[in-house]
């Protein structure tokens, strides 16, 4: 009998106590009609379930929470000698910019691992650098300025409305309904919120009004663009902007979470669909992505495609954005995980 391949599902959740549920929790009462059921699993439970699903598919899979201690991963690698690390490390010491450093340690351990390299993670997380790289390669992105220091007045040549984001975060961190502004006063307030609360530069972009497309790309040497998913804003109330904010992604108790409704496959004209997939593949390759990524694109009202972000290692929670596209392409949840593992093992260390 062939030896089972050992897969370490590695993540970093240093504050596990945060997920302890109260013995008695009051039932949430919404002042709107919720669209989604609340997922009762916390991230740690999601990783454990993922490992269970892999074990059920014939792998020797286990989870490892490094708890902000990279030496735990080094010790585990020596002890358990995994054939592949399924990398879910997204930040270290509460700093998203240290994600690439943690993944760099995996590189030094010479163990095959899933997803992006440290260089790709660094380049994609630096939103300004990513936009400049894409622009040089002929991929359209919205006009922008970067603000590094507070000032009495912020000089720019952008057209309102604009959207203001932290320059070095991902997963919509720092993006909420107040991120979209229509005047200089609100612009100043939001820029200074980013500068002082996030302690990093503020990226100010012209807001592209239109449809939001998520193009999942899977593969390594020969990546493929999967069926496109669209975020439908048609149910968004007038007091909320048509954006995928942090609350829309991660807070099931927020109205935006229930009003950003995915449609997959998106209903697009054939030439628009083809162009969006080609742009996504080009962006995937330019930024050095591998195995799996999601490229977020805005389709403007005049039918122009703008790349918003290139997201390496997107969320692999069952039913999440990337998985919607793989399901539409005919992959089951476990088959998607297996494909990603196969890419990593074929690439080696």
């Amino acid at each position: 009998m062939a030896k089972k391949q050992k897969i370490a599902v590695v993540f970093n959740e240093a504050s596990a106590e945060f997920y302890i549920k109260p013995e008695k929790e009051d039932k949430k009462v919404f002042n709107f009609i919720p669209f989604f059921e609340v997922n009762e699993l916390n991230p740690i439970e999601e990783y454990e379930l993922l490992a269970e699903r892999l074990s059920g598919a014939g792998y020797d899979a286990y989870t490892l929470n490094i708890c902000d201690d990279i030496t735990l991963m080094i010790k585990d690698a020596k002890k358990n000698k995994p054939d592949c690390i399924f990398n879910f490390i997204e930040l270290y010491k509460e700093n998203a910019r240290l994600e690439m450093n943690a993944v760099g340690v995996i590189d030094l351990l010479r163990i095959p691992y899933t997803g992006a390299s440290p260089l790709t993670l660094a380049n994609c997380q630096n939103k300004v650098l990513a936009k400049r790289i894409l622009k040089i390669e002929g991929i359209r992105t919205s006009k922008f300025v970067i603000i590094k220091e507070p000032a009495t007045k912020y000089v720019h040549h952008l057209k309102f409305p604009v959207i203001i984001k932290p320059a070095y975060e991902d997963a919509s961190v720092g993006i909420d309904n107040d991120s979209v502004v229509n005047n200089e006063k609100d612009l100043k307030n939001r820029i200074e919120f980013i500068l002082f609360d996030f302690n990093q530069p503020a990226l100010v972009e012209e807001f592209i009004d239109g449809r939001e497309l998520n193009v999942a790309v899977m593969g390594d040497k020969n990546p493929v663009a999967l069926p496109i998913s669209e975020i439908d804003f048609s149910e968004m109330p007038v007091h909320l902007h048509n954006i995928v904010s942090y609350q829309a992604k991660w807070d099931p108790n927020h109205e935006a979470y229930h009003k950003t409704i995915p449609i997959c496959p998106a209903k697009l004209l054939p030439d628009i669909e083809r162009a969006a997939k080609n742009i996504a593949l080009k962006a995937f390759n330019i930024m050095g992505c591998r195995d799996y990524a999601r490229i977020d694109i805005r389709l403007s009202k005049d039918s122009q495609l703008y790349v918003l972000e290139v997201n390496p290692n997107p969320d692999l929670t069952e039913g999440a954005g990337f998985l919607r596209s793989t399901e539409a392409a005919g992959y089951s949840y476990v088959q998607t995980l297996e494909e990603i593992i196969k890419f990593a093992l074929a690439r080696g260390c």
Side-chain angles (χ1 to χ4, degrees), residues 176-234:
D176 58 37
N177 200 54
D178 292 333
S179 297
V180 179
V181 303
N182 289 282
N183 57 65
E184 297 292 347
K185 180 183 177 181
D186 291 341
L187 174 81
K188 188 176 191 301
N189 289 339
R190 191 66 188 185
I191 286 173
E192 291 172 0
F193 168 73
I194 299 298
L195 293 176
F196 295 119
D197 282 50
F198 286 85
N199 193 30
Q200 61 184 274
L203 172 63
V204 184
E205 299 177 287
E206 288 187 358
F207 179 68
I208 308 300
D209 190 14
R211 299 169 68 179
E212 180 137 340
L213 309 178
N214 303 144
V215 188
V217 177
M218 188 164 68
D220 188 8
K221 295 184 184 303
N222 298 294
V224 176
L226 303 177
I228 297 173
S229 183
E230 178 177 3
I231 302 300
D232 180 13
F233 295 118
S234 62

Side-chain angles (χ1 to χ4, degrees), residues 97-328:
R97 298 186 72 182
L98 292 179
E99 175 187 10
M100 63 176 180
N101 301 74
V103 177
V105 173
I106 306 178
D107 262 336
L108 295 176
L109 290 171
R110 309 304 295 157
I111 299 171
Y113 64 94
T114 62
S117 69
L119 181 61
T120 295
L121 292 169
N123 289 345
C124 290
Q125 190 176 65
N126 186 331
K127 291 181 172 65
V128 177
L129 178 59
K131 286 171 71 68
R132 287 172 174 160
I133 293 171
L134 294 172
K135 184 178 180 181
I136 287 170
E137 295 292 337
I139 293 178
R140 186 183 290 109
T141 69
S142 56
K143 295 178 181 178
F144 73 97
V145 295
I146 184 75
I147 307 295
K148 298 180 179 180
E149 301 288 344
T152 54
K153 184 177 181 180
Y154 298 101
V155 179
H156 64 92
H157 303 287
L158 305 178
K159 295 180 181 178
F160 286 108
V162 299
I163 183 168
I164 304 161
K165 311 171 183 178
Y168 303 129
E169 299 290 344
D170 59 8
S172 291
V173 170
I175 301 175
D176 58 37
N177 200 54
D178 292 333
S179 297
V180 179
V181 303
N182 289 282
N183 57 65
E184 297 292 347
K185 180 183 177 181
D186 291 341
L187 174 81
K188 188 176 191 301
N189 289 339
R190 191 66 188 185
I191 286 173
E192 291 172 0
F193 168 73
I194 299 298
L195 293 176
F196 295 119
D197 282 50
F198 286 85
N199 193 30
Q200 61 184 274
L203 172 63
V204 184
E205 299 177 287
E206 288 187 358
F207 179 68
I208 308 300
D209 190 14
R211 299 169 68 179
E212 180 137 340
L213 309 178
N214 303 144
V215 188
V217 177
M218 188 164 68
D220 188 8
K221 295 184 184 303
N222 298 294
V224 176
L226 303 177
I228 297 173
S229 183
E230 178 177 3
I231 302 300
D232 180 13
F233 295 118
S234 62
E235 297 297 321
M236 191 73 87
V238 294
H239 64 273
L240 294 177
H241 295 293
N242 291 344
I243 60 172
V244 184
S245 62
Y246 181 86
Q247 293 78 13
K249 279 187 177 179
W250 307 114
D251 185 357
N253 294 322
H254 196 282
E255 188 172 10
Y257 183 93
H258 297 273
K259 304 301 182 181
T260 46
I261 301 169
I263 299 173
C264 187
K267 296 178 181 178
L268 297 165
L269 294 173
D271 58 334
I272 294 292
E273 179 180 0
R274 187 163 47 249
K277 287 183 175 181
N278 287 339
I279 289 170
L281 284 168
K282 187 176 180 181
F284 182 96
N285 289 321
I286 288 168
M287 300 304 296
C289 297
R290 60 192 195 190
D291 302 346
Y292 67 115
R294 191 192 71 245
I295 290 77
D296 296 336
I297 297 175
R298 276 271 170 151
L299 174 61
S300 67
K301 292 187 175 180
D302 60 352
S303 298
Q304 298 296 318
L305 293 163
Y306 295 80
V307 170
L308 300 181
E309 287 192 25
V310 177
N311 299 282
N313 302 8
D315 184 16
L316 287 182
T317 303
E318 192 166 9
F322 186 87
L323 274 299
R324 283 194 294 271
S325 290
T326 59
E327 182 180 358

Side-chain angles (χ1 to χ4, degrees), residues 8-13 47 50 54 85-91 99 103 106 114 292 313-317 333 337:
V9 178
V10 179
F11 61 96
N12 186 27
E13 290 286 347
Y47 296 129
L50 185 148
L54 286 174
I85 289 177
F86 213 128
N87 173 38
F88 288 102
I89 298 172
E90 294 181 338
L91 76 169
E99 175 187 10
V103 177
I106 306 178
T114 62
Y292 67 115
N313 302 8
D315 184 16
L316 287 182
T317 303
Y333 176 57
L337 301 178

